[in-house]
Amino acid sequence: MRAKISYAVTAAVLVVYFILVGSRGVTLIQQGTVLTVTFGAAVLILPVIGIWFLWKNTQFVRKANALAAELDAEGGLPVDELVRTASGRIDRDSADAVFARRRAETEDSPDDWRCWFRLAVAYHDARDTPRARKAMQRAIALHEGRAAV
Protein backbone atom coordinates (compact mmCIF):
# COMPACT_ATOMS: atom_id res chain seq x y z
CA MET A 1 0.00 0.00 0.00
CA ARG A 2 2.88 2.33 0.77
CA ALA A 3 4.22 1.95 -2.77
CA LYS A 4 0.82 2.84 -4.25
CA ILE A 5 0.59 5.97 -2.13
CA SER A 6 4.14 6.99 -3.06
CA TYR A 7 3.38 6.43 -6.75
CA ALA A 8 0.14 8.43 -6.55
CA VAL A 9 1.83 11.35 -4.77
CA THR A 10 4.72 11.37 -7.23
CA ALA A 11 2.32 11.22 -10.19
CA ALA A 12 0.26 14.07 -8.76
CA VAL A 13 3.34 16.23 -8.24
CA LEU A 14 4.45 15.51 -11.80
CA VAL A 15 1.03 16.45 -13.20
CA VAL A 16 1.13 19.77 -11.31
CA TYR A 17 4.64 20.35 -12.64
CA PHE A 18 3.51 19.55 -16.20
CA ILE A 19 0.63 22.02 -15.85
CA LEU A 20 2.96 24.76 -14.59
CA VAL A 21 5.50 24.15 -17.34
CA GLY A 22 2.76 23.94 -19.95
CA SER A 23 1.26 27.25 -18.82
CA ARG A 24 4.69 28.88 -19.16
CA GLY A 25 4.98 27.49 -22.67
CA VAL A 26 1.57 28.88 -23.61
CA THR A 27 2.52 32.26 -22.11
CA LEU A 28 5.68 32.32 -24.20
CA ILE A 29 3.75 31.46 -27.35
CA GLN A 30 1.21 34.22 -26.62
CA GLN A 31 4.03 36.79 -26.64
CA GLY A 32 4.09 36.36 -30.40
CA THR A 33 7.73 36.94 -31.26
CA VAL A 34 9.70 34.37 -33.20
CA LEU A 35 12.00 33.72 -30.27
CA THR A 36 9.27 33.34 -27.62
CA VAL A 37 7.09 31.17 -29.87
CA THR A 38 10.09 28.90 -30.53
CA PHE A 39 10.91 28.67 -26.84
CA GLY A 40 7.24 28.20 -25.97
CA ALA A 41 6.91 25.28 -28.39
CA ALA A 42 10.10 23.73 -26.99
CA VAL A 43 8.79 24.15 -23.44
CA LEU A 44 5.47 22.49 -24.38
CA ILE A 45 7.27 19.42 -25.66
CA LEU A 46 8.53 18.56 -22.16
CA PRO A 47 5.09 18.14 -20.54
CA VAL A 48 3.86 16.14 -23.54
CA ILE A 49 6.78 13.71 -23.22
CA GLY A 50 6.35 13.61 -19.44
CA ILE A 51 2.63 12.87 -19.63
CA TRP A 52 3.23 10.13 -22.18
CA PHE A 53 5.95 8.60 -19.98
CA LEU A 54 3.76 8.80 -16.87
CA TRP A 55 0.84 7.24 -18.76
CA LYS A 56 2.94 4.33 -20.08
CA ASN A 57 4.39 3.64 -16.63
CA THR A 58 0.98 3.81 -14.98
CA GLN A 59 -0.41 1.33 -17.53
CA PHE A 60 2.57 -0.98 -16.92
CA VAL A 61 2.05 -0.90 -13.16
CA ARG A 62 -1.71 -1.49 -13.47
CA LYS A 63 -1.20 -4.47 -15.78
CA ALA A 64 1.56 -5.95 -13.60
CA ASN A 65 -0.65 -5.59 -10.52
CA ALA A 66 -3.53 -7.27 -12.37
CA LEU A 67 -1.24 -10.19 -13.22
CA ALA A 68 -0.13 -10.39 -9.60
CA ALA A 69 -3.74 -10.45 -8.42
CA GLU A 70 -4.64 -13.17 -10.93
CA LEU A 71 -1.61 -15.24 -9.98
CA ASP A 72 -2.41 -14.77 -6.30
CA ALA A 73 -5.97 -15.97 -6.89
CA GLU A 74 -4.53 -19.08 -8.55
CA GLY A 75 -2.11 -19.60 -5.66
CA GLY A 76 0.85 -19.19 -8.01
CA LEU A 77 2.67 -16.19 -6.57
CA PRO A 78 6.31 -16.97 -5.82
CA VAL A 79 6.95 -17.73 -2.17
CA ASP A 80 9.52 -15.50 -0.49
CA GLU A 81 12.23 -18.05 0.25
CA LEU A 82 15.14 -15.62 0.14
CA VAL A 83 17.74 -15.43 2.87
CA ARG A 84 18.14 -11.92 4.24
CA THR A 85 20.99 -10.20 6.01
CA ALA A 86 20.62 -8.76 9.50
CA SER A 87 19.71 -5.40 7.96
CA GLY A 88 16.93 -7.02 5.92
CA ARG A 89 18.62 -6.94 2.52
CA ILE A 90 18.34 -9.93 0.25
CA ASP A 91 21.41 -12.17 0.27
CA ARG A 92 22.93 -12.16 -3.22
CA ASP A 93 23.69 -15.91 -3.29
CA SER A 94 20.14 -16.70 -2.24
CA ALA A 95 18.72 -14.44 -4.96
CA ASP A 96 21.01 -16.04 -7.55
CA ALA A 97 19.85 -19.55 -6.56
CA VAL A 98 16.18 -18.60 -6.83
CA PHE A 99 16.88 -16.81 -10.10
CA ALA A 100 18.49 -19.95 -11.58
CA ARG A 101 15.37 -21.98 -10.74
CA ARG A 102 13.05 -19.34 -12.20
CA ARG A 103 15.12 -19.08 -15.38
CA ALA A 104 15.04 -22.86 -15.85
CA GLU A 105 11.28 -22.87 -15.26
CA THR A 106 10.84 -20.14 -17.90
CA GLU A 107 13.08 -21.94 -20.39
CA ASP A 108 10.91 -25.06 -19.96
CA SER A 109 7.68 -23.08 -20.55
CA PRO A 110 8.58 -19.99 -22.62
CA ASP A 111 4.96 -19.25 -23.55
CA ASP A 112 3.60 -19.23 -19.99
CA TRP A 113 3.09 -15.72 -18.66
CA ARG A 114 3.17 -17.06 -15.09
CA CYS A 115 6.76 -18.23 -15.53
CA TRP A 116 7.75 -14.86 -16.95
CA PHE A 117 6.06 -13.09 -14.04
CA ARG A 118 7.99 -15.18 -11.52
CA LEU A 119 11.20 -14.59 -13.50
CA ALA A 120 10.57 -10.84 -13.35
CA VAL A 121 10.27 -11.10 -9.57
CA ALA A 122 13.53 -13.06 -9.44
CA TYR A 123 15.27 -10.42 -11.57
CA HIS A 124 13.96 -7.74 -9.24
CA ASP A 125 15.18 -9.62 -6.19
CA ALA A 126 18.60 -9.93 -7.85
CA ARG A 127 18.56 -6.12 -8.32
CA ASP A 128 18.44 -6.30 -12.11
CA THR A 129 15.64 -3.81 -12.72
CA PRO A 130 15.96 -3.45 -16.53
CA ARG A 131 15.67 -7.20 -17.07
CA ALA A 132 12.89 -7.43 -14.48
CA ARG A 133 10.93 -4.84 -16.44
CA LYS A 134 11.53 -6.65 -19.75
CA ALA A 135 10.44 -9.97 -18.24
CA MET A 136 7.29 -8.35 -16.83
CA GLN A 137 6.54 -6.75 -20.21
CA ARG A 138 6.85 -10.20 -21.76
CA ALA A 139 4.49 -11.66 -19.15
CA ILE A 140 1.96 -8.91 -19.86
CA ALA A 141 2.22 -9.44 -23.63
CA LEU A 142 1.77 -13.21 -23.27
CA HIS A 143 -1.19 -12.74 -20.94
CA GLU A 144 -2.84 -10.37 -23.41
CA GLY A 145 -2.17 -12.77 -26.27
CA ARG A 146 0.10 -10.34 -28.07
CA ALA A 147 3.43 -11.14 -29.65
CA ALA A 148 6.02 -11.07 -26.89
CA VAL A 149 8.13 -7.95 -26.61
Side-chain angles (χ1 to χ4, degrees), residues 24-26 28-29 35-48:
R24 296 296 180 215
V26 170
L28 284 169
I29 290 171
L35 185 63
T36 59
V37 169
T38 304
F39 280 146
V43 167
L44 282 177
I45 290 172
L46 294 174
V48 170

mmCIF file with all atom_site columns, all heavy atoms in Angstrom, residues 24-26 28-29 35-48:
data_model
loop_
_atom_site.group_PDB
_atom_site.id
_atom_site.type_symbol
_atom_site.label_atom_id
_atom_site.label_alt_id
_atom_site.label_comp_id
_atom_site.label_asym_id
_atom_site.label_entity_id
_atom_site.label_seq_id
_atom_site.pdbx_PDB_ins_code
_atom_site.Cartn_x
_atom_site.Cartn_y
_atom_site.Cartn_z
_atom_site.occupancy
_atom_site.B_iso_or_equiv
_atom_site.pdbx_formal_charge
_atom_site.auth_seq_id
_atom_site.auth_comp_id
_atom_site.auth_asym_id
_atom_site.auth_atom_id
_atom_site.pdbx_PDB_model_num
ATOM 1   N N   . ARG A 1 24 ? 3.575  27.988 -18.783 1.00 0.00 ? 24 ARG A N   1
ATOM 2   C CA  . ARG A 1 24 ? 4.688  28.884 -19.164 1.00 0.00 ? 24 ARG A CA  1
ATOM 3   C C   . ARG A 1 24 ? 4.934  28.819 -20.668 1.00 0.00 ? 24 ARG A C   1
ATOM 4   O O   . ARG A 1 24 ? 5.220  29.830 -21.304 1.00 0.00 ? 24 ARG A O   1
ATOM 5   C CB  . ARG A 1 24 ? 5.971  28.514 -18.421 1.00 0.00 ? 24 ARG A CB  1
ATOM 6   C CG  . ARG A 1 24 ? 5.892  28.692 -16.943 1.00 0.00 ? 24 ARG A CG  1
ATOM 7   C CD  . ARG A 1 24 ? 5.702  30.145 -16.572 1.00 0.00 ? 24 ARG A CD  1
ATOM 8   N NE  . ARG A 1 24 ? 5.632  30.255 -15.145 1.00 0.00 ? 24 ARG A NE  1
ATOM 9   C CZ  . ARG A 1 24 ? 4.886  31.117 -14.501 1.00 0.00 ? 24 ARG A CZ  1
ATOM 10  N NH1 . ARG A 1 24 ? 4.143  31.971 -15.167 1.00 0.00 ? 24 ARG A NH1 1
ATOM 11  N NH2 . ARG A 1 24 ? 4.866  31.154 -13.192 1.00 0.00 ? 24 ARG A NH2 1
ATOM 12  N N   . GLY A 1 25 ? 4.819  27.634 -21.226 1.00 0.00 ? 25 GLY A N   1
ATOM 13  C CA  . GLY A 1 25 ? 4.978  27.488 -22.669 1.00 0.00 ? 25 GLY A CA  1
ATOM 14  C C   . GLY A 1 25 ? 3.916  28.251 -23.434 1.00 0.00 ? 25 GLY A C   1
ATOM 15  O O   . GLY A 1 25 ? 4.198  28.927 -24.429 1.00 0.00 ? 25 GLY A O   1
ATOM 16  N N   . VAL A 1 26 ? 2.667  28.153 -22.957 1.00 0.00 ? 26 VAL A N   1
ATOM 17  C CA  . VAL A 1 26 ? 1.574  28.884 -23.607 1.00 0.00 ? 26 VAL A CA  1
ATOM 18  C C   . VAL A 1 26 ? 1.796  30.387 -23.485 1.00 0.00 ? 26 VAL A C   1
ATOM 19  O O   . VAL A 1 26 ? 1.584  31.147 -24.445 1.00 0.00 ? 26 VAL A O   1
ATOM 20  C CB  . VAL A 1 26 ? 0.212  28.465 -22.994 1.00 0.00 ? 26 VAL A CB  1
ATOM 21  C CG1 . VAL A 1 26 ? -0.906 29.380 -23.461 1.00 0.00 ? 26 VAL A CG1 1
ATOM 22  C CG2 . VAL A 1 26 ? -0.098 27.017 -23.326 1.00 0.00 ? 26 VAL A CG2 1
ATOM 23  N N   . LEU A 1 28 ? 4.626  31.942 -23.249 1.00 0.00 ? 28 LEU A N   1
ATOM 24  C CA  . LEU A 1 28 ? 5.683  32.321 -24.195 1.00 0.00 ? 28 LEU A CA  1
ATOM 25  C C   . LEU A 1 28 ? 5.146  32.400 -25.622 1.00 0.00 ? 28 LEU A C   1
ATOM 26  O O   . LEU A 1 28 ? 5.474  33.328 -26.373 1.00 0.00 ? 28 LEU A O   1
ATOM 27  C CB  . LEU A 1 28 ? 6.846  31.330 -24.120 1.00 0.00 ? 28 LEU A CB  1
ATOM 28  C CG  . LEU A 1 28 ? 7.766  31.459 -22.918 1.00 0.00 ? 28 LEU A CG  1
ATOM 29  C CD1 . LEU A 1 28 ? 8.698  30.257 -22.824 1.00 0.00 ? 28 LEU A CD1 1
ATOM 30  C CD2 . LEU A 1 28 ? 8.570  32.744 -22.990 1.00 0.00 ? 28 LEU A CD2 1
ATOM 31  N N   . ILE A 1 29 ? 4.321  31.454 -25.999 1.00 0.00 ? 29 ILE A N   1
ATOM 32  C CA  . ILE A 1 29 ? 3.755  31.461 -27.349 1.00 0.00 ? 29 ILE A CA  1
ATOM 33  C C   . ILE A 1 29 ? 2.856  32.682 -27.552 1.00 0.00 ? 29 ILE A C   1
ATOM 34  O O   . ILE A 1 29 ? 2.859  33.304 -28.618 1.00 0.00 ? 29 ILE A O   1
ATOM 35  C CB  . ILE A 1 29 ? 2.985  30.145 -27.617 1.00 0.00 ? 29 ILE A CB  1
ATOM 36  C CG1 . ILE A 1 29 ? 3.983  28.984 -27.732 1.00 0.00 ? 29 ILE A CG1 1
ATOM 37  C CG2 . ILE A 1 29 ? 2.134  30.244 -28.878 1.00 0.00 ? 29 ILE A CG2 1
ATOM 38  C CD1 . ILE A 1 29 ? 3.348  27.620 -27.788 1.00 0.00 ? 29 ILE A CD1 1
ATOM 39  N N   . LEU A 1 35 ? 11.203 34.342 -31.330 1.00 0.00 ? 35 LEU A N   1
ATOM 40  C CA  . LEU A 1 35 ? 12.000 33.723 -30.267 1.00 0.00 ? 35 LEU A CA  1
ATOM 41  C C   . LEU A 1 35 ? 11.114 33.108 -29.177 1.00 0.00 ? 35 LEU A C   1
ATOM 42  O O   . LEU A 1 35 ? 11.315 31.957 -28.772 1.00 0.00 ? 35 LEU A O   1
ATOM 43  C CB  . LEU A 1 35 ? 12.954 34.757 -29.656 1.00 0.00 ? 35 LEU A CB  1
ATOM 44  C CG  . LEU A 1 35 ? 13.933 34.239 -28.615 1.00 0.00 ? 35 LEU A CG  1
ATOM 45  C CD1 . LEU A 1 35 ? 14.867 33.210 -29.255 1.00 0.00 ? 35 LEU A CD1 1
ATOM 46  C CD2 . LEU A 1 35 ? 14.710 35.380 -28.015 1.00 0.00 ? 35 LEU A CD2 1
ATOM 47  N N   . THR A 1 36 ? 10.112 33.859 -28.701 1.00 0.00 ? 36 THR A N   1
ATOM 48  C CA  . THR A 1 36 ? 9.271  33.335 -27.617 1.00 0.00 ? 36 THR A CA  1
ATOM 49  C C   . THR A 1 36 ? 8.366  32.195 -28.094 1.00 0.00 ? 36 THR A C   1
ATOM 50  O O   . THR A 1 36 ? 8.105  31.263 -27.332 1.00 0.00 ? 36 THR A O   1
ATOM 51  C CB  . THR A 1 36 ? 8.422  34.447 -26.976 1.00 0.00 ? 36 THR A CB  1
ATOM 52  O OG1 . THR A 1 36 ? 7.583  35.043 -27.968 1.00 0.00 ? 36 THR A OG1 1
ATOM 53  C CG2 . THR A 1 36 ? 9.304  35.501 -26.325 1.00 0.00 ? 36 THR A CG2 1
ATOM 54  N N   . VAL A 1 37 ? 7.908  32.270 -29.343 1.00 0.00 ? 37 VAL A N   1
ATOM 55  C CA  . VAL A 1 37 ? 7.092  31.169 -29.874 1.00 0.00 ? 37 VAL A CA  1
ATOM 56  C C   . VAL A 1 37 ? 7.938  29.902 -29.980 1.00 0.00 ? 37 VAL A C   1
ATOM 57  O O   . VAL A 1 37 ? 7.491  28.803 -29.639 1.00 0.00 ? 37 VAL A O   1
ATOM 58  C CB  . VAL A 1 37 ? 6.467  31.550 -31.237 1.00 0.00 ? 37 VAL A CB  1
ATOM 59  C CG1 . VAL A 1 37 ? 5.846  30.338 -31.912 1.00 0.00 ? 37 VAL A CG1 1
ATOM 60  C CG2 . VAL A 1 37 ? 5.429  32.646 -31.048 1.00 0.00 ? 37 VAL A CG2 1
ATOM 61  N N   . THR A 1 38 ? 9.182  30.048 -30.424 1.00 0.00 ? 38 THR A N   1
ATOM 62  C CA  . THR A 1 38 ? 10.085 28.898 -30.527 1.00 0.00 ? 38 THR A CA  1
ATOM 63  C C   . THR A 1 38 ? 10.350 28.304 -29.151 1.00 0.00 ? 38 THR A C   1
ATOM 64  O O   . THR A 1 38 ? 10.257 27.079 -28.964 1.00 0.00 ? 38 THR A O   1
ATOM 65  C CB  . THR A 1 38 ? 11.415 29.312 -31.192 1.00 0.00 ? 38 THR A CB  1
ATOM 66  O OG1 . THR A 1 38 ? 11.127 29.903 -32.456 1.00 0.00 ? 38 THR A OG1 1
ATOM 67  C CG2 . THR A 1 38 ? 12.335 28.132 -31.356 1.00 0.00 ? 38 THR A CG2 1
ATOM 68  N N   . PHE A 1 39 ? 10.672 29.163 -28.194 1.00 0.00 ? 39 PHE A N   1
ATOM 69  C CA  . PHE A 1 39 ? 10.905 28.671 -26.838 1.00 0.00 ? 39 PHE A CA  1
ATOM 70  C C   . PHE A 1 39 ? 9.632  28.073 -26.240 1.00 0.00 ? 39 PHE A C   1
ATOM 71  O O   . PHE A 1 39 ? 9.678  27.060 -25.556 1.00 0.00 ? 39 PHE A O   1
ATOM 72  C CB  . PHE A 1 39 ? 11.425 29.778 -25.924 1.00 0.00 ? 39 PHE A CB  1
ATOM 73  C CG  . PHE A 1 39 ? 12.887 30.058 -26.079 1.00 0.00 ? 39 PHE A CG  1
ATOM 74  C CD1 . PHE A 1 39 ? 13.370 31.360 -25.927 1.00 0.00 ? 39 PHE A CD1 1
ATOM 75  C CD2 . PHE A 1 39 ? 13.800 29.062 -26.351 1.00 0.00 ? 39 PHE A CD2 1
ATOM 76  C CE1 . PHE A 1 39 ? 14.717 31.632 -26.061 1.00 0.00 ? 39 PHE A CE1 1
ATOM 77  C CE2 . PHE A 1 39 ? 15.149 29.326 -26.488 1.00 0.00 ? 39 PHE A CE2 1
ATOM 78  C CZ  . PHE A 1 39 ? 15.613 30.625 -26.340 1.00 0.00 ? 39 PHE A CZ  1
ATOM 79  N N   . GLY A 1 40 ? 8.505  28.700 -26.487 1.00 0.00 ? 40 GLY A N   1
ATOM 80  C CA  . GLY A 1 40 ? 7.238  28.196 -25.968 1.00 0.00 ? 40 GLY A CA  1
ATOM 81  C C   . GLY A 1 40 ? 6.920  26.813 -26.500 1.00 0.00 ? 40 GLY A C   1
ATOM 82  O O   . GLY A 1 40 ? 6.485  25.930 -25.752 1.00 0.00 ? 40 GLY A O   1
ATOM 83  N N   . ALA A 1 41 ? 7.146  26.599 -27.788 1.00 0.00 ? 41 ALA A N   1
ATOM 84  C CA  . ALA A 1 41 ? 6.910  25.284 -28.387 1.00 0.00 ? 41 ALA A CA  1
ATOM 85  C C   . ALA A 1 41 ? 7.856  24.246 -27.783 1.00 0.00 ? 41 ALA A C   1
ATOM 86  O O   . ALA A 1 41 ? 7.451  23.109 -27.496 1.00 0.00 ? 41 ALA A O   1
ATOM 87  C CB  . ALA A 1 41 ? 7.081  25.356 -29.894 1.00 0.00 ? 41 ALA A CB  1
ATOM 88  N N   . ALA A 1 42 ? 9.116  24.649 -27.597 1.00 0.00 ? 42 ALA A N   1
ATOM 89  C CA  . ALA A 1 42 ? 10.096 23.727 -26.992 1.00 0.00 ? 42 ALA A CA  1
ATOM 90  C C   . ALA A 1 42 ? 9.693  23.383 -25.563 1.00 0.00 ? 42 ALA A C   1
ATOM 91  O O   . ALA A 1 42 ? 9.799  22.221 -25.139 1.00 0.00 ? 42 ALA A O   1
ATOM 92  C CB  . ALA A 1 42 ? 11.483 24.345 -27.025 1.00 0.00 ? 42 ALA A CB  1
ATOM 93  N N   . VAL A 1 43 ? 9.205  24.379 -24.825 1.00 0.00 ? 43 VAL A N   1
ATOM 94  C CA  . VAL A 1 43 ? 8.792  24.145 -23.441 1.00 0.00 ? 43 VAL A CA  1
ATOM 95  C C   . VAL A 1 43 ? 7.562  23.233 -23.396 1.00 0.00 ? 43 VAL A C   1
ATOM 96  O O   . VAL A 1 43 ? 7.431  22.402 -22.497 1.00 0.00 ? 43 VAL A O   1
ATOM 97  C CB  . VAL A 1 43 ? 8.522  25.492 -22.731 1.00 0.00 ? 43 VAL A CB  1
ATOM 98  C CG1 . VAL A 1 43 ? 7.798  25.299 -21.425 1.00 0.00 ? 43 VAL A CG1 1
ATOM 99  C CG2 . VAL A 1 43 ? 9.833  26.230 -22.490 1.00 0.00 ? 43 VAL A CG2 1
ATOM 100 N N   . LEU A 1 44 ? 6.663  23.329 -24.358 1.00 0.00 ? 44 LEU A N   1
ATOM 101 C CA  . LEU A 1 44 ? 5.468  22.493 -24.384 1.00 0.00 ? 44 LEU A CA  1
ATOM 102 C C   . LEU A 1 44 ? 5.782  21.030 -24.699 1.00 0.00 ? 44 LEU A C   1
ATOM 103 O O   . LEU A 1 44 ? 5.000  20.144 -24.340 1.00 0.00 ? 44 LEU A O   1
ATOM 104 C CB  . LEU A 1 44 ? 4.458  23.026 -25.398 1.00 0.00 ? 44 LEU A CB  1
ATOM 105 C CG  . LEU A 1 44 ? 3.657  24.240 -24.942 1.00 0.00 ? 44 LEU A CG  1
ATOM 106 C CD1 . LEU A 1 44 ? 2.746  24.717 -26.062 1.00 0.00 ? 44 LEU A CD1 1
ATOM 107 C CD2 . LEU A 1 44 ? 2.858  23.941 -23.696 1.00 0.00 ? 44 LEU A CD2 1
ATOM 108 N N   . ILE A 1 45 ? 6.896  20.800 -25.343 1.00 0.00 ? 45 ILE A N   1
ATOM 109 C CA  . ILE A 1 45 ? 7.270  19.423 -25.664 1.00 0.00 ? 45 ILE A CA  1
ATOM 110 C C   . ILE A 1 45 ? 7.567  18.628 -24.388 1.00 0.00 ? 45 ILE A C   1
ATOM 111 O O   . ILE A 1 45 ? 7.216  17.449 -24.292 1.00 0.00 ? 45 ILE A O   1
ATOM 112 C CB  . ILE A 1 45 ? 8.475  19.400 -26.628 1.00 0.00 ? 45 ILE A CB  1
ATOM 113 C CG1 . ILE A 1 45 ? 8.020  19.897 -27.998 1.00 0.00 ? 45 ILE A CG1 1
ATOM 114 C CG2 . ILE A 1 45 ? 9.078  18.012 -26.730 1.00 0.00 ? 45 ILE A CG2 1
ATOM 115 C CD1 . ILE A 1 45 ? 9.150  20.106 -28.980 1.00 0.00 ? 45 ILE A CD1 1
ATOM 116 N N   . LEU A 1 46 ? 8.175  19.268 -23.402 1.00 0.00 ? 46 LEU A N   1
ATOM 117 C CA  . LEU A 1 46 ? 8.535  18.565 -22.165 1.00 0.00 ? 46 LEU A CA  1
ATOM 118 C C   . LEU A 1 46 ? 7.327  17.985 -21.438 1.00 0.00 ? 46 LEU A C   1
ATOM 119 O O   . LEU A 1 46 ? 7.336  16.801 -21.069 1.00 0.00 ? 46 LEU A O   1
ATOM 120 C CB  . LEU A 1 46 ? 9.332  19.496 -21.250 1.00 0.00 ? 46 LEU A CB  1
ATOM 121 C CG  . LEU A 1 46 ? 10.703 19.913 -21.785 1.00 0.00 ? 46 LEU A CG  1
ATOM 122 C CD1 . LEU A 1 46 ? 11.332 20.938 -20.859 1.00 0.00 ? 46 LEU A CD1 1
ATOM 123 C CD2 . LEU A 1 46 ? 11.594 18.708 -21.944 1.00 0.00 ? 46 LEU A CD2 1
ATOM 124 N N   . PRO A 1 47 ? 6.247  18.754 -21.212 1.00 0.00 ? 47 PRO A N   1
ATOM 125 C CA  . PRO A 1 47 ? 5.090  18.140 -20.543 1.00 0.00 ? 47 PRO A CA  1
ATOM 126 C C   . PRO A 1 47 ? 4.438  17.036 -21.374 1.00 0.00 ? 47 PRO A C   1
ATOM 127 O O   . PRO A 1 47 ? 3.941  16.050 -20.810 1.00 0.00 ? 47 PRO A O   1
ATOM 128 C CB  . PRO A 1 47 ? 4.114  19.298 -20.340 1.00 0.00 ? 47 PRO A CB  1
ATOM 129 C CG  . PRO A 1 47 ? 4.894  20.526 -20.503 1.00 0.00 ? 47 PRO A CG  1
ATOM 130 C CD  . PRO A 1 47 ? 6.080  20.195 -21.338 1.00 0.00 ? 47 PRO A CD  1
ATOM 131 N N   . VAL A 1 48 ? 4.449  17.180 -22.693 1.00 0.00 ? 48 VAL A N   1
ATOM 132 C CA  . VAL A 1 48 ? 3.862  16.136 -23.538 1.00 0.00 ? 48 VAL A CA  1
ATOM 133 C C   . VAL A 1 48 ? 4.632  14.831 -23.378 1.00 0.00 ? 48 VAL A C   1
ATOM 134 O O   . VAL A 1 48 ? 4.039  13.761 -23.183 1.00 0.00 ? 48 VAL A O   1
ATOM 135 C CB  . VAL A 1 48 ? 3.828  16.590 -25.020 1.00 0.00 ? 48 VAL A CB  1
ATOM 136 C CG1 . VAL A 1 48 ? 3.465  15.441 -25.940 1.00 0.00 ? 48 VAL A CG1 1
ATOM 137 C CG2 . VAL A 1 48 ? 2.860  17.743 -25.190 1.00 0.00 ? 48 VAL A CG2 1
#
